[in-house]
């Protein structure tokens, strides 16, 4: 089957999308991703690694000759992946990162002989390069493209592998002895971050349970197992407890281009309470969670909201008469505006929310920002 | 593409079977428009939800069985195949002649496409549960009990008494430990008296009774379900199947289990318009998440919230004019337009609809392509595809069938409007009960009708059994006679054509259910039939109906054979039918009935059997059909007059006692031999 496809592709570069075949490893991963039981247990980093690995497989094993064809291929396979779990932003982020890598390598390979490389990515250059790349023709054949893309992706994978460790290593700079930290729900990253800090310092953690999934219970039990003094409170007590807290540390599902958060429900309440008492809110975010879309674009594409079934945590499923009579809303995510966030800790260090546009222009290509993936 | 190798990672291939039609008219009026599985709920066909669930559950292959409106189905299948083809292998099966669920299952069995345990879905099923997990439960059950045929999936909604779901609930009796289903019956509102057989409590350590179980129309089946359907051609529906299997559990030697859905999972089959409306509401309120607008399946992905608090949505291509409002639990379909100052409440509007200005829609379903003129007021109605309703029309409790054009300004109430054969508009009044069942959600109707609704449907299971039990004995004897005739017929044919005993046993069982014969009568009648058979040996052409009566009438004519000849052929027949005898007569009660049958037979046919009676008993004893204890007990007994179905014809009655004494005298040598043998063996034991 693969051979017949390749012949088709090479003979007609303006191939219809339908003639491409979904890559095997992409299809396999998509199947798993769409599986309900897998989705409830996966972690974001795992999804990221597997997305990159399967897209790498597309680049290595599928037949393509020009960068344009490859971009189309990635689009199509990416669509298939997004189909599997449309609410997962990490998948779309990774697809866009890979597209960026392809574009970057293509231009670099094309111009490597003529243009002197300027590695510093100044604001001016970003602005001008954007205009320059707008009308680039990606259909020229560059023989070295495949190897350079693969090299770049390998580098990227190493970056992904180390990013979590990079964030955890910064724990000691941000946590001090005898502080009281508040967090919400469960985040593996926050857990590891606090555990790392606890190696050298003693401090206290207050965990808000996080209705409806009550993942805060796991968080509290894990932290107390690591000998951190932990207090579990209900979400309703967040404001009451806030006055004693020194820092709020939370994880997030995604960061918008503006620096706003798509975070677990209750995060907005938490951030507002912290703001009222002028307590710093620190958000731990690996850069793969950085999403080049604005909240509005997100909402237009319908991926921001994720409203779950009322029986998944809010009402007792046995209470049919209640469900029959009243409307019950169970959103999973809150939008936290950037002005409520004091500091992001990413794998590249601590940044204010206003700095994130820099990362966006560095990590993504403008043509891909609002791709409807 | 080898089908076996399709399962990736070497897992075994998980198959599902979806019977698209429900073979009933629960969704009256819509039944003739859409095949059940393609009935749109929230502008998405049921089939799409089902396929989505199957995909996310990791099912690898699904067979879709269609039996109506094949052309329409084929046109719908193509986009579905494109959408789901990458995730699941879809094989449609078309059969135009199939009229019942049972026929469909038998057809599937002959095709032989199901190779393992499979998930059986009805077209009406809606669920978001992980079917693979449920299948694993069934497989675990099968490891414990090899003969587990099916695991029913039931949803527990808690107390349904005062909810709209009260019409869908079942009463379930089950073994508390094994979750084996003992009985499941519909539990309609207003009927609170249930008869519970004492047997449940005698044979089970603890029994669970659930009064609010809702059948999800998802069944986890072993492959044997298909062959059970094939063997029993009288299984018409899955309810038949479940009921009969439960009644005759020991006979089929197969059991049905049940499994509750996880509390967080949702399921609701559309088995009525009421359930349809409820499901619409629940989907809009996201109880079926991830099967919900703006999430899955793909045709629902394109919808956006217009108001999260109201749970109202519109397709992103739908147009809302100035002042148009979408109220509670409503959704506007693809490319539809809602005119200025129109208001929509608890309504579903399909694709490509045009709703004019100042229109009010309340509790109404508008299917795709409908046009509603300005200033219409429509309440509690259903408007099917491509209807046109002119401005200022008022509709209350109406059903507008497809392609109807209402050109005049007129008000309709409680009416069905459709285009008759002569292209004229025909009107039909709706009855109150129908309005309640199909259109209205108002509680006032509920109080009026709940108590006596559907008496026919509701009690049919319990009623039939009770009437059976209380019918006068005359009918029972008639049934017995008919049953005996059928048994004779089966055995005669079996013996002539040299059929195997296994199918004959099944045949006898079928006759048994047809006439509702208790087990002890079966062994009695089978023995009797065998004793009669030698007389019929020479008759090549037997009448089809009621052989027993034929035998009684022509008795003298047939009995032209000598006693020796009779016993010779009887001996052959007995050896041939030994498996059947062992099957029915082995239990102790069966042996007593068998001896009773022999005794009764002696009374009426003294001259043939008396001389060889001891040989006959010896033969049965040697074949392990009769045990010596039973024979001895029987021998000790005096003549019994209350034998079942004894031939108490007048001429014999007086001499019966005499014959009984003669009979016992006749077999004394055998009995003595038996007793001696027993003493011998006990002597050996002691020494």
């Amino acid at each position: 089957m693969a051979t017949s496809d390749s012949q088709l592709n090479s003979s007609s570069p303006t191939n219809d999308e339908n003639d491409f075949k979904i890559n095997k490893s992409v299809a396999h991963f998509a199947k798993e991703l769409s599986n309900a039981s897998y989705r409830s247990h996966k972690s974001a980093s795992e999804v990221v690694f597997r997305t990159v690995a399967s897209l790498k497989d597309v680049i290595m094993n599928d037949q393509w000759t020009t960068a344009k064809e490859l971009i189309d291929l990635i689009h199509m396979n990416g669509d298939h992946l997004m189909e599997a779990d449309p609410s997962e932003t990490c998948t779309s982020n990774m697809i866009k990162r890979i597209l960026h890598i392809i574009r970057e390598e293509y231009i670099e390979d094309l111009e490597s002989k003529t243009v002197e490389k300027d590695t510093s990515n100044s604001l001016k250059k970003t602005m001008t390069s954007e205009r320059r790349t707008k009308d680039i023709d990606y259909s020229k054949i560059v023989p070295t493209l495949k190897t350079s893309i693969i090299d770049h992706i390998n580098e990227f994978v190493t970056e992904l592998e180390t990013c979590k460790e990079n964030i955890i290593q910064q724990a000691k700079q941000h946590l001090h002895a005898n502080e009281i930290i508040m967090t919400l729900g469960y985040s593996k990253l926050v857990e590891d971050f606090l555990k790392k800090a606890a190696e050298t310092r003693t401090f206290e953690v207050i965990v808000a349970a996080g209705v409806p999934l009550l993942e805060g219970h796991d968080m509290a039990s894990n932290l107390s197992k690591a000998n951190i003094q932990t207090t579990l409170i209900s979400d309703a007590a967040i404001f009451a407890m806030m006055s004693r807290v020194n820092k709020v540390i939370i994880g997030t599902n995604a960061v918008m281009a503006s620096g706003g958060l798509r975070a677990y429900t209750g995060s907005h309440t938490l951030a507002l309470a912290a703001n009222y008492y002028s307590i710093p809110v620190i958000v731990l975010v690996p850069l793969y969670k950085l999403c080049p879309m604005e909240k509005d674009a997100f909402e237009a594409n319908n991926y921001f909201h994720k409203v779950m079934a009322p029986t998944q945590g809010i009402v007792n499923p046995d209470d049919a008469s209640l469900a029959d009579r009243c409307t019950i809303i169970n959103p999973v995510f809150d939008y936290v505006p950037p002005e409520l966030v004091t500091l992001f800790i990413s794998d590249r260090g601590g940044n204010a929310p206003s700095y994130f546009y820099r990362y966006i222009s560095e990590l993504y290509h403008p043509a891909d920002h609002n791709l409807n993936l | 593409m080898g089908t076996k190798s399709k399962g990736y990672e070497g897992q075994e291939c998980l198959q599902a079977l979806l019977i698209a039609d429900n073979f009933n008219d629960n969704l009256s009026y819509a039944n003739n428009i859409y095949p059940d599985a393609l009935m749109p709920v929230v502008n998405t066909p049921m089939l799409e939800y089902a396929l989505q669930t199957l995909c996310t559950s990791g099912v690898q292959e699904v067979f879709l069985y269609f039996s109506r409106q094949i052309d329409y189905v084929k046109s719908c299948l193509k986009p579905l195949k494109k959408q789901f083809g990458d995730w699941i292998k879809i094989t449609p099966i078309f059969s135009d002649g199939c009229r019942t669920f049972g026929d469909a299952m038998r057809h599937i069995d002959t095709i032989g496409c199901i190779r393992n345990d499979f998930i059986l879905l009805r077209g009406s099923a809606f669920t978001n549960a992980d079917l693979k997990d449920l299948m694993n439960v069934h497989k675990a059950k099968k490891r414990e009990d090899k003969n587990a045929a099916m695991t029913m999936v039931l949803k527990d909604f808690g107390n349904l008494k005062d909810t709209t779901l009260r019409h869908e609930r079942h009463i379930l009796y089950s073994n508390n430990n094994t979750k084996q289903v003992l009985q499941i019956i519909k539990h309609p509102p207003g009927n609170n008296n249930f008869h519970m057989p004492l047997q449940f409590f005698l044979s089970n350590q603890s029994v669970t009774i659930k009064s609010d179980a809702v059948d999800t129309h998802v069944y986890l089946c072993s492959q044997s379900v298909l062959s059970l359907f094939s063997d029993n051609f009288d299984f018409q529906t899955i309810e038949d199947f479940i009921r009969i299997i439960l009644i005759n559990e020991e006979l089929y030697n197969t059991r049905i289990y049940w499994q509750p859905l996880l509390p967080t999972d949702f399921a609701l089959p559309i088995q009525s318009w009421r359930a349809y409306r409820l499901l619409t509401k629940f989907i809009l309120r996201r109880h079926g998440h991830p099967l919900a607008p703006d999430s899955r399946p793909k045709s629902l992905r394109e919808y956006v919230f217009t108001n999260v608090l109201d749970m109202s949505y519109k397709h992103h291509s739908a147009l809302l004019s100035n002042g148009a409002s979408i109220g509670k639990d409503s959704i506007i379909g693809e490319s539809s337009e809602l005119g200025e100052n129109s208001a929509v409440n608890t309504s579903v509007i399909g694709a490509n609809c045009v709703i004019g200005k100042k229109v009010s829609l309340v509790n109404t379903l508008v299917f795709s392509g409908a046009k509603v003129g300005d200033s219409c007021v429509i309440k509690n109605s259903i408007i099917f595809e491509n209807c046109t309703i002119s401005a200022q029309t008022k509709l209350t409790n109406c059903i507008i069938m497809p392609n109807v054009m209402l050109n005049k300004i007129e008000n309709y109430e409680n009416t069905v409007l459709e285009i008759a054969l002569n292209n004229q508009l025909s009107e039909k009044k709706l009855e109150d009960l129908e309005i309640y069942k199909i259109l209205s959600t108002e509680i006032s109707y509920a109080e009026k009708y709940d108590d006596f609704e559907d008496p026919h449907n509701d009690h049919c299971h319990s009623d039939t059994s009770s009437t059976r039990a209380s019918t006068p004995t005359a009918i029972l004897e008639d049934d017995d006679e008919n049953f005996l005739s059928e048994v004779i017929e089966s055995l005669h044919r079996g013996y002539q054509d040299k059929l195997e005993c296994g199918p004959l046993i099944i045949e006898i069982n079928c006759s048994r259910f047809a006439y509702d014969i208790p087990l002890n009568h079966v062994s009695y009648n089978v023995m009797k039939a065998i004793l009669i058979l030698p007389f019929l040996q020479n008759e090549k052409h037997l009448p089809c109906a009621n052989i027993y009566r034929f035998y009684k009438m022509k008795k003298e004519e047939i009995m032209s054979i000598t006693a020796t000849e009779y016993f010779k052929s009887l001996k052959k027949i007995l050896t041939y039918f030994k498996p059947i005898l062992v099957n029915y007569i082995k239990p102790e009660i069966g042996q007593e009935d068998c001896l009773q049958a022999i005794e009764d037979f002696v009374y009426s046919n003294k001259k043939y059997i008396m001389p060889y009676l001891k040989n006959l008993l010896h033969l049965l004893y040697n074949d392990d059909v009769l045990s010596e204890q039973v024979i001895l007990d029987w021998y000790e007994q005096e003549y019994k007059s209350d034998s079942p179905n004894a031939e108490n014809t007048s001429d014999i009655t007086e001499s019966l006692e005499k014959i009984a004494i003669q009979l016992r005298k006749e077999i004394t040598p055998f009995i003595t031999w038996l007793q001696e043998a027993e003493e011998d063996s006990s002597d050996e034991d002691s020494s």
Side-chain angles (χ1 to χ4, degrees):
Chain A
M1 246 181 250
T3 48
S4 65
D5 266 13
S6 70
Q7 279 161 4
L8 267 176
N9 292 353
S10 51
S11 59
S12 54
T14 54
N15 224 324
D16 195 39
E17 266 200 358
N18 293 337
D19 286 357
F20 290 111
K21 259 263 175 303
I22 300 284
N23 178 284
K24 249 191 192 159
S25 63
V26 170
H28 183 168
F29 175 50
K31 227 168 209 170
E32 245 175 81
L33 199 58
S34 75
N35 192 305
S37 60
Y38 174 74
R39 232 181 307 141
S40 55
H41 299 304
K42 70 173 182 208
S43 70
S45 57
E46 193 192 332
V47 172
V48 162
F49 284 128
R50 299 203 48 189
T51 310
V52 173
S54 57
L55 290 178
K56 191 173 149 193
D57 192 72
V58 172
I59 297 167
M60 294 209 325
N61 297 330
D62 280 16
Q63 294 295 324
W64 53 273
T65 40
T66 65
K68 188 174 183 307
E69 270 178 46
L70 181 59
I71 288 168
D72 287 346
L73 252 181
I74 298 285
H75 271 191
M76 187 197 52
N77 284 295
D79 259 337
H80 188 74
L81 275 183
M82 289 309 293
E83 182 78 11
D85 188 1
S87 67
E88 181 61 68
T89 51
C90 286
T91 326
S92 99
N93 292 346
M94 285 309 101
I95 296 161
K96 290 169 185 173
R97 287 286 283 271
I98 300 268
L99 285 172
H100 180 240
I101 288 171
I102 295 168
R103 290 174 203 274
E104 211 176 38
E105 287 303 320
Y106 175 76
I107 296 163
E108 229 165 75
D109 281 10
L110 206 63
E111 301 174 350
S112 55
K113 287 149 204 164
T114 51
V115 181
E116 188 73 14
K117 265 214 249 176
D118 180 13
T119 39
S120 71
N121 216 341
S122 72
L123 182 57
K124 191 185 167 208
K125 196 193 159 204
T126 334
M127 299 304 286
T128 48
S129 71
E130 196 170 314
R131 206 179 312 135
R132 191 195 57 186
T133 51
K134 269 243 162 88
D135 35 48
I136 274 195
D137 175 22
Y138 287 101
S139 51
K140 283 179 198 147
I141 294 176
V142 181
T144 55
L145 187 57
K146 192 166 181 173
T147 39
S148 47
I149 290 175
I150 296 293
D151 284 349
H152 197 150
I153 289 181
N154 287 340
E155 250 170 63
F156 175 47
V157 171
T158 336
E159 185 194 320
L160 287 176
E161 277 163 359
T162 52
C163 83
K164 197 171 169 187
E165 194 52 39
N166 284 343
I167 294 173
I168 294 169
Q169 288 305 334
Q170 299 170 52
K172 285 172 203 162
Q173 302 162 28
H174 295 280
L175 289 175
H176 307 296
N178 300 321
E179 277 186 329
I180 299 177
I181 313 293
M182 188 184 276
T183 187
L184 173 88
Y186 181 81
S187 155
K188 181 85 176 87
L189 190 59
V190 173
E191 182 193 328
D192 290 346
F193 189 81
L194 293 174
K195 277 181 181 168
K196 183 76 186 174
E199 284 171 8
T200 48
R201 309 209 158 85
T202 50
F203 52 89
E204 201 182 324
V205 180
I206 299 174
V207 182
V211 174
L213 296 182
L214 299 177
E215 285 173 327
H217 294 183
D218 297 336
M219 181 74 142
S221 82
N222 289 356
L223 288 178
S224 52
K225 268 179 210 156
N227 292 324
I228 299 171
Q229 197 190 338
T230 314
T231 312
L232 182 69
I233 60 167
S234 75
D235 289 7
I238 286 177
F239 192 82
M241 298 296 278
M242 192 56 83
S243 57
R244 314 163 181 216
V245 170
N246 297 98
K247 267 179 195 118
V248 170
I249 299 179
I250 52 173
T252 182
N253 178 274
V255 181
M256 312 284 118
S258 64
L261 305 182
R262 185 207 204 205
Y264 194 75
T265 338
S267 301
H268 196 184
T269 319
L270 184 75
L272 278 173
N275 192 47
Y276 181 86
Y277 287 107
S278 306
I279 289 158
V281 175
I282 297 172
V283 179
L284 307 185
V285 54
L287 280 182
Y288 58 74
K289 286 189 174 179
L290 177 59
C291 172
M293 277 199 268
E294 274 307 323
K295 184 192 170 232
D296 295 343
F298 237 113
E299 280 190 330
N301 285 329
N302 237 334
Y303 299 135
F304 192 86
H305 286 293
K306 185 175 173 186
V307 185
M308 292 204 304
T311 47
Q312 286 163 330
I314 292 202
V315 291
N316 192 343
D318 296 348
D319 205 342
S321 59
L322 183 64
D324 200 25
R325 294 211 167 85
C326 63
T327 314
I328 305 153
I329 303 171
N330 184 8
V332 184
F333 296 120
D334 254 354
Y335 176 68
V336 183
E339 53 275 20
L340 294 180
V341 178
T342 320
L343 187 71
F344 282 106
I345 300 177
S346 75
D347 34 324
R348 300 196 185 178
N351 296 111
S354 55
Y355 188 74
F356 267 65
Y357 79 96
R358 272 303 297 269
Y359 285 140
I360 297 280
S361 57
E362 190 183 320
L363 300 175
Y364 298 99
H365 191 274
D368 304 327
H369 282 189
N370 287 324
L371 264 187
N372 201 356
L373 279 174
Chain B
M1 246 190 248
T3 38
K4 264 263 154 81
S5 59
K6 267 237 116 179
Y8 60 91
E9 281 181 0
Q11 295 167 350
E12 73 181 56
C13 179
L14 182 54
Q15 293 177 312
L17 171 62
L18 194 145
I19 307 285
D21 288 296
N22 288 332
F23 305 104
N24 57 28
D25 57 352
N26 286 346
L27 292 173
S28 40
Y29 300 104
N31 274 95
N32 299 326
I33 304 171
Y34 304 102
D36 296 288
L38 291 169
M39 182 76 192
V41 179
V42 193
N43 300 334
T44 306
M46 289 297 284
L47 186 59
E48 210 173 322
Y49 294 112
L51 287 175
Q52 182 69 58
T53 301
L54 291 171
C55 286
T56 45
S57 306
V59 174
Q60 280 130 20
E61 190 171 19
V62 61
F63 297 95
L64 308 174
Y65 193 90
F66 296 99
S67 48
R68 287 196 297 132
Q69 285 144 300
I70 306 277
D71 295 333
Y72 178 74
V73 169
K74 277 181 179 160
S75 68
C76 295
L77 268 182
K78 218 176 168 195
L80 284 178
K81 266 192 169 170
K82 198 176 170 197
Q83 186 184 341
F84 294 106
D86 286 337
W87 309 93
I88 190 166
K89 192 180 170 211
I90 301 174
T91 317
I93 300 170
F94 300 104
S95 153
D96 221 347
C98 176
R99 289 288 166 269
T100 66
F101 189 87
D103 288 346
M105 294 298 275
R106 285 183 275 276
H107 187 190
I108 298 281
D109 193 34
T110 49
I111 294 172
C113 51
I114 303 285
R115 294 180 300 269
N116 209 327
D117 294 354
F118 63 102
I119 300 167
L120 175 64
L121 288 156
R122 284 160 74 175
S124 48
F126 174 95
T127 181
N128 63 352
D130 189 338
L131 300 176
K132 198 169 197 170
D133 284 357
L134 287 167
M135 200 64 201
N136 290 338
V137 172
H138 176 67
K139 282 182 178 156
K141 280 267 153 57
K142 262 191 95 177
R143 276 193 288 276
E144 284 167 30
D145 175 6
K146 256 194 252 162
N147 294 317
M150 183 191 267
T151 304
M152 302 178 73
V153 181
L154 301 176
K155 169 76 184 158
D156 180 9
F157 279 104
N159 187 358
L160 297 174
K161 193 164 163 269
D162 298 321
T163 67
T164 18
L165 271 169
R166 64 187 177 277
H167 300 276
E168 320 297 339
R169 59 189 172 167
H170 288 77
I171 276 208
L172 167 84
Y173 306 97
S174 82
N175 184 317
N176 194 21
N177 303 324
T178 58
K179 288 211 168 136
Q180 186 194 336
V181 177
L182 301 173
Q183 191 178 13
I184 181 158
I185 31 179
K186 259 207 135 190
H187 175 195
N191 176 19
N192 291 319
N193 295 325
F194 288 96
H195 174 75
M196 263 174 261
L198 185 63
Q199 194 57 38
F200 289 175
F201 302 96
L202 294 178
S203 51
N204 294 286
Q205 232 172 17
S206 64
V207 176
T208 315
I209 302 170
K210 277 180 108 60
S211 63
D212 290 301
V214 174
D215 181 5
T216 58
H217 289 193
V218 176
Y219 311 93
L220 313 164
C221 298
S222 307
Q223 218 183 350
S224 62
V225 169
L226 289 174
S227 44
L228 278 168
F229 265 100
S230 291
D231 292 343
N232 299 279
F233 44 85
D234 50 340
F235 288 176
Q236 297 291 320
T237 64
I238 189 127
E239 283 85 6
D240 272 356
F241 171 82
I242 292 168
R243 184 166 48 87
I244 295 176
I245 293 284
L246 289 181
I247 295 173
N248 307 299
E249 181 206 315
E250 311 133 27
L251 228 147
Y252 288 104
N253 191 21
T254 181
R255 277 157 289 280
I256 296 176
Y257 293 87
W258 72 283
Q259 178 66 24
L261 220 54
L262 286 180
T264 47
D265 286 341
F266 179 79
L268 183 66
I270 47 162
Q271 42 194 333
S272 64
W273 274 108
R274 235 180 257 121
Y276 178 91
R277 279 172 184 272
L278 207 61
L279 180 60
T280 305
K281 183 163 124 184
F282 275 137
I283 291 177
L284 292 175
R285 290 186 177 183
R286 313 186 71 82
H287 284 256
H289 184 85
L291 300 179
D294 88 10
S295 176
R296 276 147 187 280
K298 202 173 183 182
S299 55
L300 279 183
R301 176 93 40 83
E302 316 270 288
Y303 286 88
V304 289
F305 274 113
T306 51
N307 185 343
V308 178
L309 289 175
D310 279 343
M311 293 287 174
S312 57
Y313 311 80
K314 76 178 201 53
H315 195 274
H316 69 74
S317 65
L319 267 172
L320 295 189
S321 308
N322 262 348
S325 75
I326 307 178
K328 232 176 139 192
D329 301 333
S330 299
I331 190 161
I332 314 281
E334 190 177 352
S335 310
S336 289
E337 287 174 34
L338 193 56
E340 282 172 31
N341 299 319
S342 288
V344 174
N345 258 306
T346 23
S347 299
V348 175
I349 295 175
N352 304 314
C353 292
V354 181
I355 313 286
K357 295 171 191 167
K358 291 185 187 163
V359 174
S360 157
L361 287 174
V362 179
N363 191 26
T364 296
L365 302 169
V366 182
F367 288 82
S368 60
K371 290 183 176 52
V372 178
D374 296 350
S375 309
C376 286
V377 179
I378 301 173
K379 204 183 157 199
N380 295 346
S381 298
I382 301 173
I383 299 170
F384 284 106
E385 284 178 10
N386 303 325
C387 290
T388 308
I389 292 163
S390 66
Q392 296 172 26
T393 310
K394 283 201 171 82
L395 299 173
T396 313
N397 300 340
C398 287
I399 298 172
I400 318 285
M401 300 300 277
N403 306 320
V404 168
M405 312 263 268
L406 296 180
N407 298 323
K408 289 175 288 182
I409 300 172
E410 209 167 328
N411 298 342
Y412 293 97
E413 209 171 313
N414 309 344
T415 314
V416 184
L417 293 164
E418 77 181 302
I419 295 182
L421 287 173
N422 53 5
N423 276 336
Q424 295 291 305
L425 192 63
S426 81
E427 284 182 36
K428 192 189 116 195
K429 277 283 166 207
L430 274 168
E431 295 188 5
D432 262 12
L433 182 63
E434 243 180 329
I435 295 172
Y436 168 53
K437 281 169 97 177
I438 300 176
L439 298 170
S440 179
T441 52
E442 277 166 37
I443 288 295
S444 58
Y445 281 103
E447 286 160 3
K448 216 163 135 194
Y449 289 111
D450 266 2
D451 290 344
F452 57 90
E453 193 199 337
D454 292 348
H456 165 69
N457 268 343
D458 300 341
H459 311 290
C460 72
H461 310 322
S462 47
D463 270 7
T464 42
S465 57
S466 66
T467 43
R468 281 275 185 208
S470 61
T471 34
T473 34
I475 295 174
L476 266 180
E477 276 173 11
D478 200 37
D479 271 0
D480 254 349
E481 196 170 284
N482 288 336
F483 173 64
L484 178 57
S485 298
E486 286 207 14
V487 172
I488 295 172
E489 201 269 320
S490 302
L491 293 181
H492 181 71
R493 189 166 38 80
Y495 188 66
Q496 295 283 336
D497 301 350
K498 299 287 172 232
L499 296 179
E500 297 221 0
C501 290
L504 287 175
I505 291 176
I506 291 170
E507 214 169 290
I508 292 170
N509 284 344
C510 285
S511 317
R512 181 193 154 192
F513 301 129
Y515 296 106
D516 208 358
I517 305 291
L519 193 63
N520 60 330
H521 286 218
V522 177
S523 33
Y524 177 87
N525 282 319
V526 166
M527 193 61 220
K528 197 161 174 181
I530 289 178
L531 290 172
I532 289 170
L533 267 188
F535 294 124
L536 303 172
Q537 276 308 297
N538 301 325
E539 295 292 311
K540 283 281 174 289
H541 303 290
L542 288 173
C544 306
N546 216 337
I547 298 180
Y548 183 59
R549 199 159 288 158
F550 165 81
Y551 153 77
K552 262 171 139 183
M553 269 158 56
K554 299 222 175 169
K555 214 169 181 176
E556 301 308 317
E557 223 176 284
I558 304 169
M559 291 179 178
S560 52
I561 49 173
T562 64
T564 332
E565 274 168 5
Y566 170 79
F567 187 69
K568 232 182 205 167
S569 55
L570 179 65
K571 205 169 160 187
K572 264 191 215 157
I573 292 170
L574 277 176
T575 341
Y576 186 76
F577 286 133
K578 194 184 157 197
I580 296 183
L581 284 173
V582 172
N583 183 55
Y584 288 106
I585 297 171
K586 197 74 221 233
E588 209 149 290
I589 305 166
Q591 297 182 22
E592 281 167 26
D593 290 319
C594 165
L595 286 168
Q596 191 65 53
I598 295 172
E599 189 171 345
D600 286 346
F601 193 75
V602 171
Y603 295 149
S604 51
N605 303 294
K606 200 172 105 192
K607 64 173 178 171
Y608 296 104
I609 198 155
M610 200 64 107
Y612 291 99
L613 189 60
K614 49 181 184 292
N615 303 51
L616 172 65
L617 289 177
H618 191 191
L619 191 70
L620 291 173
Y621 172 75
N622 273 352
D623 279 352
D624 273 342
V625 174
L626 297 177
S627 71
E628 63 182 53
Q629 194 52 49
V630 176
I631 297 176
L632 291 176
D633 285 351
W634 169 73
Y635 180 72
E636 300 297 322
Q637 269 172 14
E638 288 299 300
Y639 159 69
K640 272 200 300 183
S641 60
D642 58 352
S643 56
N645 200 22
E647 291 168 47
N648 295 332
T649 30
S650 57
D651 56 320
I652 301 175
T653 323
E654 306 133 38
S655 55
L656 274 183
E657 230 159 305
K658 239 192 201 161
I659 299 175
I661 294 164
Q662 195 189 341
L663 183 153
R664 283 178 170 71
K665 211 190 260 169
E666 194 66 46
I667 57 166
T668 315
F670 173 64
I671 299 295
T672 339
W673 175 79
L674 259 186
Q675 279 165 337
E676 275 170 8
E678 189 188 21
E679 274 163 23
D680 277 0
S681 65
S682 55
D683 278 358
E684 274 165 35
D685 284 352
S686 58
S687 66

